Amino acid sequence: MNSDFDVSQYLNMFLDEAEEELQELEEGIVLLEQEQQDKDLLNRIFRAAHTLKGSSASMGFEDMATLTHDMENVLDRLRMGKLTLTKEIVDLLLECLDALKILKENITSGEKREVDVGSLSDRLKLAASRETGAPEKGPKRPAAQRKGETKKTTAVTNSEVEINEDMLQFTEVEKNVIQAAEVKGFQVYHLVVNLQPDTKMKAARAYIVFNNLKDVGEVIKTVPSAEDIEAERFENSFELVLITNEDEDRIKNIVKSVSEISTVTVKDITLPAGAQEEKTGKKEVTEQGKGNKTDGDKGDAAFQTRRKSNQTVRVDVQRLENLINLVGELVIDRTRLAEVSSELKSSLGTSELLETMEEVSVHIGRITSDLQEEIMKSRMFPIEQVFNRFPRMVRDLARKAGKDIDFIVEGKETELDRTVIEEVGDPLIHLLRNAIDHGIEKPEERKKLGKPLKGTIKLKAFHQENQIVITVEDDGRGMDPEDIKKKALEKGLLSEEAAARLSDREALQLIFRAGFSTARKVSDVSGRGVGMDIVKNHLEKINGIIEIRTDRGKGTKFIIRLPLTLAINRSLLVSSGGRVFAFPLSNVVEIVHLERGTVKEIQKREVTVVRGEVLPLYWLNSVLGLDSGSRWAEEKVPVVIVGISEKRLGFVVDELLGEQEIVIKSLGEFIGQVPGLAGATIMGDGKVALILDVRGLIDQSSGEESHEYAS
Amino acid sequence: MEEEKRENGAEEQLVVFQLAGETYGIDISTVHEIIRMQAITDVPRTPDFVEGVINLRGRIVPVIDLHKRFGLVSGEKEKEDSKIMVVEVNNVIVGMIVDSVTEVLRLPTKNIEPPPAVISTGVDAAYLRGVGKWKDDLIILLNLDKIFQKEEQKELQESMEEVEELAQ
């Protein structure tokens, strides 16, 4: 249909759009299962399928177009009330959706995964034919579909016609024209022209139709637009509004005289009373006019989505990334500028020129902050993107597990950085799967326990200070620390002696150990014993922290805390051995000053006690292997206590330099990943400081420990 | 120079620098810029020859010491005219510390000979692309690809493994 060039040009746009439509479909279908009677919802789903059909056909993806076309038919009959929604239909629709996803993936990846479109399509047709009324005869649409077209419905209708049902909306100008024509005694017809399915030159046929009609009247509107029709951007049918003196039959004959036209409907149009009033009344208030339109609901929704999409621009991620980097540079220079100006002031004393410079520097600082904030915001996405795929997943898993689950999602609109969004999906999937498989009990069991038959899983996201908190909560059986200990013993994860010493809280932490799984049975999605440690790793990679709250018999709640962004970090700058290092502030639990006397040695390790908890101490210098360090040169040393998950460690440093916003830069390909280092940053004075990777440091430090034991 | 070019056609444009008393040359197209010696932040747990990183106009660039890289005995370290040559090889940007940068010249290709099996400087022959004759001097042509590739990576890999072993 299009040349290769054209297709490739629009491919990305098509894929983005397809993604959105598929998302909409999935969300809708899953919801539909619960809210069977929701007409608006059906319309929304239908529209998504329809859009997808149109765009995939115009891109030449036949399989996709066929499948969506058949889905559309089923959906259409559902919303017309000619078909009752059954579980089978929902399943079938979801199956088709999966097929569509694969087809889309195929386009993206260039792979050729087999999809049996034919059989799905047949099943859809079969489903569509199972109607409540008489089967074979073409579905007669209720005549009074809309106030505006109550008059005689002629000719054969088929499902193609109904698609465009909501399209006839007139602008003010068109309404004026129609009314003027009516006043003068002209007829206004709404024509729906269907071409034969295999028509080769659709645009040409349409053109001939227009030309012929021009002889007898005036075409004032077409759906789709004239440009779209010319460019063949339409399915097998198009609509038009004609003002003429001729009668219906004559018009019909004129159209039918063109070859390859299969059917044509001609309807008389009278403007709805509302529109007329509105016209005679307040002509200038267009907002009100929109509200008064027939088909108000749907029209408005469509209008709003259209308007919304007009106001956004798709930007290449890389470009945003570059912007962030540039702003990072500015942030650094801002700090430098402030430093220089204060230094100048102290060495030269005050002068008018210096004061002006200070003013400028402050102003630049303010603007840079704003700029930084705005750009950060542009990288923020609602977590919806991740959350949206869960209802379907939960539904499928719950059905497979034979459980009845209410899935509640809150705080979809919470925004966070896209780098964080990308990483947070997998851990959440694991947590949800666990909740379904291990958390929620089977209905029988719940009945016995006197719990509501339907289990509840609640996924919630919200902002808290400078963090995003995501919780996954179920009202299932909860976890028993004793059970976990027993299991860990069986798996040989720890010794009996060690297990006995564990507090309940520590015992719960065992589930994050590699090789731990409390599931008695291994299901195909969870319980492979890899879940929770992967969850933890994933989250720690993005500086996240996970906590567990569980109540035996009542349920479990996982609380995930994430930083808002990964690109710019608040850090604690410290010096050690004459070098400057940055601790990500998100990992710093607290800072204490320790006196030599409070430090004890246990098994050759220095430890101290902070608020009743034993804290292992490490000298930052020696952990990094920079030098063995002049230990205890002073009687009192600053200690940075860092934490990841439940682990707490203290790092002794020489000096605390203060808090600063830093931009994380990688050490470059040549050096690559260095354990214990997250990267480098450029400080206000232009010097480079290394950013510590607390997780790596902790692994290193505890590693050192076991190494010592071994030797 | 112009005459030579017309006569031979093929020639190479080189940046020539001094390292431990010898003259070396590298292809000018790999050289991004030459900057004065500056404070280098050392990075723990990296191979010995990695001096650390510098801030090159907002970009973090690793710096290596060619003396250590080639196992040469380093003379007076960081002399006044020590320079950092920032080169790009296979999309990786690295700074190399050299004793001094002498000139940029065009060397006719016919003056370049393959590296001799044994070379007095002590630099592994694998790192050399050839030896160029220029006036009365010999210019050792470095093969940066080799220097930064395989061996380098292997060594880096090994040092990483060592660290990992330690950690376990």
Side-chain angles (χ1 to χ4, degrees):
Chain A
M1 189 184 301
N2 286 318
S3 71
D4 282 347
F5 174 75
D6 278 338
V7 171
S8 65
Q9 191 181 5
Y10 297 117
L11 187 60
N12 280 336
M13 212 196 281
F14 164 73
L15 287 172
D16 283 347
E17 249 179 54
E19 180 67 43
E20 277 165 24
E21 302 301 345
L22 286 174
Q23 191 61 57
E24 174 98 27
L25 273 173
E26 177 159 298
E27 238 183 284
I29 296 172
V30 172
L31 257 177
L32 196 62
E33 203 175 18
Q34 293 146 26
E35 326 263 337
Q36 311 222 346
Q37 293 312 316
D38 194 335
K39 257 248 144 66
D40 284 347
L41 184 62
L42 264 169
N43 278 326
R44 238 175 60 209
I45 303 170
F46 175 80
R47 192 172 286 118
H50 181 62
T51 312
L52 194 56
K53 176 180 93 171
S55 57
S56 56
S58 64
M59 292 296 290
F61 299 122
E62 298 297 338
D63 283 352
M64 238 180 181
T66 318
L67 200 52
T68 37
H69 174 76
D70 289 326
M71 286 171 80
E72 193 186 344
N73 281 347
V74 172
L75 288 166
D76 189 43
R77 302 182 55 82
L78 282 171
R79 71 179 182 148
M80 292 302 161
K82 287 188 203 120
L83 199 60
T84 18
L85 189 72
T86 59
K87 270 218 147 111
E88 287 73 50
I89 292 183
V90 173
D91 283 342
L92 179 58
L93 286 173
L94 287 175
E95 237 178 277
C96 293
L97 191 66
D98 291 338
L100 286 175
K101 279 188 192 159
I102 296 175
L103 288 172
K104 192 196 139 238
E105 271 313 299
N106 284 352
I107 298 167
T108 327
S109 63
E111 279 174 46
K112 288 249 176 324
R113 279 166 68 197
E114 276 301 314
V115 182
D116 193 354
V117 174
S119 90
L120 279 173
S121 183
D122 289 345
R123 283 165 62 198
L124 282 168
K125 284 195 184 101
L126 191 72
S129 69
R130 255 188 248 132
E131 58 184 298
T132 31
E136 214 32 61
K137 191 71 205 134
K140 265 235 162 187
R141 193 167 90 178
Q145 213 29 245
R146 196 179 340 175
K147 282 181 228 157
E149 33 171 89
T150 42
K151 271 197 170 175
K152 325 146 229 185
T153 311
T154 19
V156 201
T157 46
N158 66 16
S159 55
E160 280 295 335
V161 179
E162 287 148 5
I163 292 157
N164 299 315
E165 174 217 9
D166 59 325
M167 288 189 172
L168 264 194
Q169 289 183 4
F170 298 110
T171 62
E172 290 301 311
V173 178
E174 284 159 358
K175 277 183 204 159
N176 285 341
V177 173
I178 292 171
Q179 258 155 7
E182 277 169 353
V183 170
K184 284 182 190 154
F186 283 96
Q187 298 293 324
V188 184
Y189 294 118
H190 171 208
L191 279 81
V192 179
V193 182
N194 287 309
L195 298 171
Q196 279 166 18
D198 50 351
T199 305
K200 283 282 172 304
M201 294 161 67
K202 294 191 287 187
R205 294 296 163 217
Y207 178 74
I208 298 172
V209 170
F210 289 140
N211 238 9
N212 290 356
L213 287 174
K214 261 190 205 151
D215 295 341
V216 295
E218 198 181 348
V219 176
I220 60 158
K221 182 184 177 72
T222 67
V223 178
S225 69
E227 291 100 308
D228 282 350
I229 291 179
E230 249 167 66
E232 242 173 69
R233 279 195 291 270
F234 65 108
E235 287 298 305
N236 277 331
S237 83
F238 58 90
E239 293 175 63
L240 51 93
V241 175
L242 178 74
I243 298 179
T244 179
N245 259 331
E246 306 288 336
D247 64 30
E248 266 181 48
D249 286 336
R250 170 109 174 82
I251 299 297
K252 220 153 72 183
N253 287 335
I254 289 173
V255 177
K256 282 219 148 178
S257 67
V258 181
S259 57
E260 289 193 296
I261 299 291
S262 74
T263 57
V264 56
T265 43
V266 180
K267 283 176 242 157
D268 205 346
I269 291 180
T270 342
L271 277 187
Q276 232 139 6
E277 269 165 35
E278 164 202 315
K279 202 202 158 246
T280 45
K282 303 173 179 177
K283 229 189 282 180
E284 67 278 31
V285 187
T286 41
E287 278 304 322
Q288 195 177 339
K290 276 171 210 149
N292 276 349
K293 255 179 215 162
T294 45
D295 269 4
D297 267 354
K298 280 185 276 170
D300 268 8
F303 178 74
Q304 270 163 10
T305 45
R306 221 172 296 137
R307 188 168 53 182
K308 201 172 153 200
S309 64
N310 281 343
Q311 282 178 340
T312 59
V313 176
R314 284 184 207 277
V315 180
D316 188 357
V317 170
Q318 192 52 49
R319 194 162 282 180
L320 278 182
E321 223 69 357
N322 291 346
L323 267 179
I324 274 279
N325 278 338
L326 289 173
V327 170
E329 300 295 309
L330 265 183
V331 171
I332 291 161
D333 285 342
R334 172 194 67 184
T335 319
R336 289 186 72 170
L337 197 61
E339 276 177 20
V340 168
S341 90
S342 76
E343 257 168 51
L344 274 179
K345 205 171 177 180
S346 65
S347 65
L348 300 177
T350 44
S351 82
E352 211 171 300
L353 213 56
L354 263 179
E355 243 153 57
T356 319
M357 177 174 167
E358 206 163 46
E359 240 177 72
V360 173
S361 137
V362 167
H363 190 230
I364 286 182
R366 204 170 300 147
I367 290 177
T368 316
S369 302
D370 287 354
L371 189 62
Q372 188 184 346
E373 199 174 309
E374 284 302 315
I375 293 185
M376 291 311 289
K377 270 190 208 151
S378 74
R379 282 166 51 105
M380 301 292 248
F381 283 93
I383 200 165
E384 209 173 344
Q385 279 197 335
V386 183
F387 280 12
N388 275 347
R389 52 188 162 129
F390 293 148
R392 164 81 191 279
M393 189 193 82
V394 171
R395 169 202 176 269
D396 285 0
L397 291 175
R399 266 188 99 177
K400 223 182 262 172
K403 291 169 186 175
D404 209 358
I405 293 172
D406 234 348
F407 183 52
I408 302 169
V409 179
E410 280 176 21
K412 263 188 187 185
E413 66 290 337
T414 311
E415 288 191 328
L416 61 166
D417 196 278
R418 57 169 291 278
T419 42
V420 182
I421 284 193
E422 275 165 17
E423 292 294 333
V424 84
D426 285 356
L428 287 178
I429 288 175
H430 273 292
L431 291 178
L432 288 171
R433 280 174 169 175
N434 278 337
I436 297 162
D437 275 14
H438 312 317
I440 303 282
E441 309 90 336
K442 294 236 175 197
E444 316 82 79
E445 205 179 327
R446 291 181 70 91
K447 201 173 175 186
K448 253 184 259 165
L449 292 167
K451 285 180 168 185
L453 285 186
K454 225 174 183 186
T456 305
I457 295 178
K458 198 164 159 190
L459 178 66
K460 192 173 164 188
F462 56 95
H463 282 265
Q464 196 176 62
E465 286 155 31
N466 240 340
Q467 285 183 322
I468 300 284
V469 183
I470 303 174
T471 61
V472 178
E473 192 177 3
D474 67 61
D475 66 345
R477 54 174 70 98
M479 287 187 282
D480 184 359
E482 290 308 315
D483 272 2
I484 290 169
K485 276 192 212 171
K486 228 182 278 166
K487 195 81 194 171
L489 278 175
E490 278 171 34
K491 300 254 170 188
L493 292 178
L494 75 172
S495 68
E496 211 152 322
E497 184 195 346
R501 267 191 284 128
L502 286 184
S503 67
D504 281 0
R505 216 173 84 159
E506 285 165 328
L508 284 177
Q509 290 303 314
L510 287 172
I511 66 167
F512 292 117
R513 287 277 197 85
F516 184 90
S517 165
T518 48
R520 306 245 144 68
K521 249 194 316 186
V522 172
S523 75
D524 63 342
V525 282
S526 60
R528 281 161 305 183
V530 289
M532 289 312 280
D533 59 310
I534 284 186
V535 168
K536 202 177 122 194
N537 282 345
H538 255 286
L539 292 175
E540 283 174 359
K541 222 164 72 188
I542 46 174
N543 291 330
I545 294 180
I546 182 165
E547 293 165 33
I548 318 171
R549 305 240 171 95
T550 185
D551 213 344
R552 193 165 162 69
K554 292 218 180 89
T556 306
K557 184 177 188 178
F558 287 95
I559 303 159
I560 299 169
R561 291 172 201 281
L562 297 169
L564 277 179
T565 176
L566 296 178
I568 293 187
N569 231 336
R570 286 206 74 78
S571 304
L572 174 71
L573 295 182
V574 301
S575 78
S576 178
R579 301 172 179 88
V580 178
F581 295 98
F583 278 103
L585 214 55
S586 55
N587 294 126
V588 176
V589 179
E590 68 172 308
I591 298 162
V592 291
H593 288 266
L594 282 183
E595 273 170 46
R596 194 170 186 164
T598 60
V599 176
K600 296 181 178 64
E601 212 168 275
I602 298 177
Q603 288 177 316
K604 291 185 189 163
R605 264 287 115 240
E606 279 177 304
V607 298
T608 189
V609 176
V610 176
R611 275 190 289 283
E613 302 233 2
V614 177
L615 182 79
L617 279 185
Y618 297 90
W619 295 75
L620 187 56
N621 247 350
S622 48
V623 170
L624 287 173
L626 287 174
D627 80 68
S628 51
S630 51
R631 298 195 168 191
W632 297 112
E634 314 263 337
E635 273 306 300
K636 212 170 178 185
V637 287
V639 173
V640 179
I641 302 179
V642 298
I644 275 202
S645 308
E646 297 291 317
K647 241 179 186 167
R648 300 281 181 269
L649 287 185
F651 285 101
V652 183
V653 299
D654 293 348
E655 204 185 335
L656 301 168
L657 301 175
E659 216 182 288
Q660 200 181 312
E661 252 179 18
I662 57 166
V663 179
I664 300 177
K665 292 177 184 254
S666 98
L667 288 171
E669 220 175 300
F670 184 75
I671 293 182
Q673 287 286 328
V674 179
L677 296 181
T681 190
I682 293 162
M683 291 183 298
D685 59 2
K687 287 202 187 104
V688 180
L690 298 176
I691 304 168
L692 299 168
D693 166 28
V694 171
R695 184 181 150 67
L697 277 183
I698 288 182
D699 286 351
Q700 208 93 55
S701 316
S702 14
E704 207 177 289
E705 207 169 359
S706 53
H707 187 66
E708 267 176 27
Y709 287 143
S711 55
Chain B
M1 200 100 118
E2 285 299 306
E3 278 159 39
E4 258 178 37
K5 194 178 181 181
R6 240 172 275 134
E7 276 166 29
N8 309 306
E11 57 179 20
E12 282 189 29
Q13 205 169 357
L14 301 172
V15 177
V16 179
F17 59 91
Q18 298 288 320
L19 191 67
E22 297 282 346
T23 308
Y24 293 84
I26 55 173
D27 182 6
I28 196 166
S29 65
T30 58
V31 180
H32 258 234
E33 60 190 293
I34 297 160
I35 53 176
R36 241 176 295 161
M37 197 63 194
Q38 52 172 283
I40 299 175
T41 305
D42 57 352
V43 181
R45 297 197 175 113
T46 45
D48 171 52
F49 57 83
V50 175
E51 282 293 292
V53 290
I54 55 166
N55 163 19
L56 184 67
R57 290 188 304 278
R59 183 170 188 163
I60 304 283
V61 174
V63 176
I64 66 167
D65 184 337
L66 279 183
H67 290 110
K68 290 181 186 159
R69 181 74 195 89
F70 294 148
L72 303 174
V73 186
S74 157
E76 327 87 276
K77 220 189 154 192
E78 280 168 32
K79 286 186 297 190
E80 268 298 288
D81 43 359
S82 272
K83 293 279 189 307
I84 299 176
M85 278 175 63
V86 181
V87 296
E88 180 174 349
V89 184
N90 300 326
N91 295 323
V92 176
I93 292 192
V94 178
M96 308 189 297
I97 302 175
V98 299
D99 292 345
S100 67
V101 177
T102 25
E103 60 186 322
V104 174
L105 55 81
R106 289 171 193 270
L107 187 69
T109 313
K110 67 172 168 58
N111 289 9
I112 300 175
E113 282 168 20
V118 181
I119 201 158
S120 56
T121 57
V123 176
D124 193 331
Y127 297 149
L128 307 182
R129 199 156 52 84
V131 176
K133 276 181 279 184
W134 178 253
K135 293 174 188 161
D136 295 331
D137 246 349
L138 284 182
I139 299 173
I140 305 163
L141 304 179
L142 290 177
N143 187 347
L144 289 184
D145 275 9
K146 272 269 163 48
I147 295 172
F148 293 135
Q149 263 186 349
K150 286 174 198 157
E151 284 300 297
E152 191 81 325
Q153 273 161 11
K154 216 166 94 194
E155 199 159 331
L156 269 174
Q157 191 71 35
E158 277 165 11
S159 75
M160 299 290 274
E161 274 162 17
E162 262 170 50
V163 168
E164 267 161 34
E165 261 168 47
L166 261 172
Q168 269 157 19

